[in-house]
């Protein structure tokens, strides 16, 4: 069956070389070729699922585009947002947002959180970054036979606390049990429904050259914490904790204050680098960020160094990227910093006209390099 | 941790014996004691999850009541319906329904359907039986590393076909991958949002003594088919197929025709017996059914006999129980039979005043016996 997924690729390279041959400057020519490659519809070249397909980076994107979105295609799904926004017939043009996520994190408990808290905050945040006030959640549990019921109760209590904090209720659910060895203790899928107040306010299409890129907090805490909790990294970092937290209060504070926010997304799997690449590609613009401006805790730098991965690619569970009109950037930063979940907010770069679809980082040494989407899965099962 | 789930049970039996001691007739006294037992809040006596907790019967009910609903308690969840119905603030009193289900069926493909079709129909039907027109679905996939991508594509194509047939779209989704051996090929969680046209029309509270119990089709096809497909039963039954199908058209046909339907539920895990028990307990009434009136295909009878289980307990994926006002029962049957999904519709019994909370079956030999909720899990992983 594998072959039918692989679109014919022969001649693609030649076609791209022909299309870009007229560009005289070698560096510009390479950039143009990368941009051309990116415009092609991705095709699945593997015949089986690998861990990379779940990492939120390039392989995940290909799987979603070439399989799920291809087969299930409809105007809402095709937007490939973190949430879908739909108009309900007969409801006066009001728009609802819907978002779903499965949580398979290992271990189930880690410093600063657990799978239950993640399952609530993750879905609440996917709604929030779309400008949707979370209304309610559903929760579906897949339990492995033999799971300790006391442990399950701790997870559910943690969901309750997280839901209370985020101001939502779990209104419906489901439980399935599979035999020992057919799942890994406990998987949770939450789905959220939210109310979009101003449907036209946020979107890739609103991003403009000159916009400022903001983060509400330090990056990489969640992914680093889970790796340490799993014992994969031989490092003592007792104060490192997951950043899992609900973001609706921070988002609504910006929106209510009239900040001209153009786009937001929470930087979970694939990290900030992957979100910035999605922004650059979907908006057809470039993003330039400053390495020195990135808020990163020392312990995360340590973990990242040992793993040989940049903090920009490490998952977060309480960090969002906000693209804000230049004139409102300072006020947005102040508003973020007035809240605990935005205490370490930072301005990390800006949106540019070109080269289309690319993300650049200016290093501390004065150099510049391309930041691509996450490739492979160096940090599996962090959410 | 296990102990904290087990509520103190000492004295429960004595208290119930004292409360029922005045009843002179021994048979009535036993029934009264059973009814009293049922009123007690169930407590989890196990310390680990067993397959029974996922079977949809008594253990599932206890897990949901004593753990999930206990910890996550809120007015919507406490109703323990197949779907939650909520009023959206600012949307003019319109009501939305939300329902979620995880699908872990094994094998993934079986005669008449596959996990993808089940995942769509199952959630569409949970909305439909609540009188909610399905609007959209989300789909979250948990994939095992090494899963064949061609197989995944067939499943997603099947979801697409089922969604088209049911008139809904999959508007958002998620994909997680877990390492080989940490899941069983593929689990799908779908969540549906629907629009409730007449919120006051259906509910346990509307069921009255004298109401008629209808089924839209023959029972046990799905569960029997999956057991055969798994090779657990050594029987040739080539024409046996899952009954998986969407039920909104049938439901809306009844509602649009003004049939006085009081309650509906699709009889999935735990079968028709479990749905009838929920009705009897939640409505505080009794349900009496006639064994001879139950539509059961011969091959299902054969499988049931070999497995030592009654067809009443076998799961369906396209059968609903409808409780209808007596005067409308014949017209409802006619309307059901006018549609392919209701071709084998049958009137199987009626609702009675007492004994409260009990389900009885009148056997072909003139006897009567109690039909309890499903205990244990004789047919694991059928959905």
């Amino acid at each position: 069956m594998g072959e039918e997924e692989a679109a014919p690729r022969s001649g693609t390279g030649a076609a791209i070389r022909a299309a870009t041959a007229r560009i005289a400057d070698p560096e510009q020519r390479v950039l143009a070729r990368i941009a051309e490659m990116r415009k092609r519809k991705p095709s699945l070249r593997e015949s089986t699922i690998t861990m990379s397909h779940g990492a939120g980076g390039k392989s995940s994107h290909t799987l979603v585009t070439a399989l799920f979105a291809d087969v299930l295609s409809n105007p809402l799904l095709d937007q490939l947002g973190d949430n879908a926004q739909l108009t309900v017939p007969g409801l006066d043009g009001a728009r609802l947002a819907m978002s779903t996520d499965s949580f398979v994190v290992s271990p189930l408990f880690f410093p600063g959180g657990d799978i239950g808290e993640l399952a609530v905050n993750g879905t609440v945040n996917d709604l929030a970054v779309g400008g949707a006030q979370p209304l309610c959640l559903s929760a579906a549990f897949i339990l492995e036979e033999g799971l300790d019921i006391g442990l399950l109760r701790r997870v559910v209590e943690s969901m309750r606390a997280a839901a209370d904090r985020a101001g939502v209720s779990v209104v419906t659910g489901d439980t399935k049990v599979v035999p020992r060895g057919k799942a890994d203790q406990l998987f949770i899928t939450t789905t959220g429904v939210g109310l979009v107040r101003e449907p036209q306010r946020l979107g890739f299409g609103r991003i403009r050259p000159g916009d400022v890129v903001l983060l509400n907090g330090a990056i990489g805490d969640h992914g680093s914490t889970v790796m340490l909790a799993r014992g994969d990294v031989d490092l003592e970092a007792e104060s490192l904790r997951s950043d899992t937290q609900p973001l609706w209060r921070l988002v609504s504070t910006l929106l209510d204050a009239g900040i001209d926010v153009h786009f937001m997304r929470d930087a979970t799997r694939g990290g900030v680098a992957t979100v910035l690449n999605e922004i650059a590609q979907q908006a057809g613009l470039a993003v330039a960020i400053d390495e020195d401006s990135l808020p990163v805790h020392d312990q995360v730098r340590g973990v990242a160094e040992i793993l040989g991965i940049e903090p920009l690619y490490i998952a977060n569970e309480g960090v969002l990227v906000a693209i804000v009109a230049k004139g409102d950037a300072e006020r947005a930063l102040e508003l973020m910093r007035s809240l605990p979940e935005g205490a370490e907010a930072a301005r990390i770069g800006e949106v540019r006209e070109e080269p289309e679809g690319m993300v650049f980082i200016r290093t501390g040494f004065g150099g510049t390099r391309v930041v691509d989407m996450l490739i492979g899965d160096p940090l599996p099962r962090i959410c």
Side-chain angles (χ1 to χ4, degrees), chain A residues 40 128 185 221 239 318 336:
Chain A
R40 313 268 148 169
Q185 295 190 282
D221 284 6
S239 64
M336 283 184 177

Side-chain angles (χ1 to χ4, degrees), chain A residues 15-140:
Chain A
I16 288 177
R17 276 194 299 277
T20 54
R22 289 164 304 145
I23 301 170
D25 179 49
E27 197 177 333
Q28 289 302 317
R29 195 160 61 229
V30 169
L31 291 178
R33 282 179 185 171
I34 293 173
E36 274 300 315
M37 282 296 287
R38 284 184 165 161
K39 282 187 201 157
R40 313 268 148 169
K41 189 177 163 189
S43 62
L44 272 165
R45 279 185 286 185
E46 304 90 347
S47 63
T48 58
I49 293 292
T50 66
M51 293 303 292
S52 306
H53 288 118
K58 205 162 235 177
S59 300
S60 298
H61 185 74
T62 304
L63 180 68
V64 168
T65 315
L67 201 163
F68 293 114
D70 185 45
V71 176
L72 297 171
S73 174
N74 61 69
L76 283 170
L77 186 67
D78 296 350
Q79 293 168 24
L80 297 183
D82 266 353
N83 64 68
Q85 303 199 347
L86 47 139
T87 309
V88 180
L91 292 200
D92 232 8
R95 280 176 90 85
L96 292 175
M98 186 178 190
S99 184
T100 194
D101 260 322
S102 289
F103 294 84
V104 300
V105 64
S106 170
L108 298 177
F109 295 84
F110 43 81
D114 59 65
I115 189 172
E117 192 176 348
L118 280 194
V120 170
N121 289 342
T123 293
V124 161
N125 290 348
D126 279 344
L127 295 172
V129 295
Q133 177 181 4
L135 294 177
C136 59
L137 298 181
S138 65

